[in-house]
Amino acid sequence: MGFILFGVLLVMLFFGVPIAVSMGLAVLAALNFGDGRTPELLIVQRMFTSLDNFPFMAIPFFILAGDLMQCGGISARLIHFIKILLRKVPARLSVISTVGSGFFGAISGSNPATVAAIGGIMIPEMKKSGYPSAKAAAIAAASGTLGVIIPPSISMVTYSLIASVSIGTMFVGGIVPGIVLGLAMITVSMITCMKIEKKAVEKIAPGELGRAFIDAIAALFMPVIILGGIYGQICTPTEAAAVACMYAFIISCLVYRELPFSQLPAIFIKSATSTAIVLLVVALSAPFSWLMTSAGIPGKITTTLVSVFENKYAILLMMNAALLFLGCFLETQSIILLMTPILLPLARQFGIDPIALGLIMIINTSIGMITPPMAVNLYVASSISGSSIESISRQVVPYFVTLVLIMLTFTYFPQILMWLPKLTGG
């Protein structure tokens, strides 16, 4: 059964069939040709049972909150505040792009949305200051990888529910790697862009920094509300996501007044569509995972790898290589749903905390967003800059190498990832 399950899945993916449909067809084929005793009604039952889960309500709420904030004038205010704050920093515009992506990622929880919102502002500005178009696009695309790493993150919610770990602990665990990866990309930008951007300090009027901070404080406060609500035991992650929606609505429509009520139906439709795509993959991954577990595939893989690679570090290296490879072809949600049931027993075998495993998986798949042919971040940056995917790919290499090296550091020293969750009692 396992051969049929994975064989059909790989064939479908090879021909470009969407991951949700591929998993569904693989399950149908395995049931009809590999088992013959299990009724097909099982597929529907498993799909419904997987979604009949209150914490999954956090996904549509976080998606809607991100869409509302994206259309509500948040990104422009964030960039204005960060520009004034970092006006004396070398390679200022590239640094602002990364810092802005970090802040906006904490609002949207999405890589492509982060590239679109921050890159839409910063790529034209970088080009005006002498940055080659492909270089500006590469900076925005690489910075956008922070979108799913810095909490709150939809990918973290999905992993937490699949791996049965605390969503709040996953959110706290994403803070340190998000900051470290952001600082690493800033360092790369300073080294590679100092000759492009001449150091020039903007003069600001007295009190302008304070006014910019007050203007942006509503956006900056959103992650504090979410994480504070969860860890203050005021609300559950799902309730915090609902609060984030209301907060985003009030800020975008009533405080900043840049989101007219007439645009709300279009935003609701967009959010519903994004939610449907995510939850369809979640639903169809449930019967796939159940069949995989029933056939004992995760246990067999673990036993085989342990017998072949007795060295823990060799297995960790292979795990990262597999995740990076999958990231070239599949998006984050699909990889998490497909690989978590396989990698979780392996991680437990070697004493790796499930929280650390989840963070490693999310960082790997986020890096996949800048590795062709999938490379969603590169496609978004390309549409903004007008540069080809090939030229942007060449410019993004220093960032890719840096991200991979840091990700390997996190893999071999998971204490870095677990420091803050343990400090907060997670």
Side-chain angles (χ1 to χ4, degrees), residues 142-163:
S143 300
T145 57
L146 297 174
V148 297
I149 298 171
I150 295 181
S153 164
I154 298 165
S155 299
M156 290 181 183
V157 174
T158 304
Y159 174 82
S160 299
L161 295 172
I162 299 298

Side-chain angles (χ1 to χ4, degrees), residues 6-27:
F6 280 95
V8 173
L9 176 68
L10 292 174
V11 170
M12 292 296 104
L13 292 176
F14 178 79
F15 285 104
V17 179
I19 182 66
V21 179
S22 298
M23 286 192 289
L25 291 174
V27 170

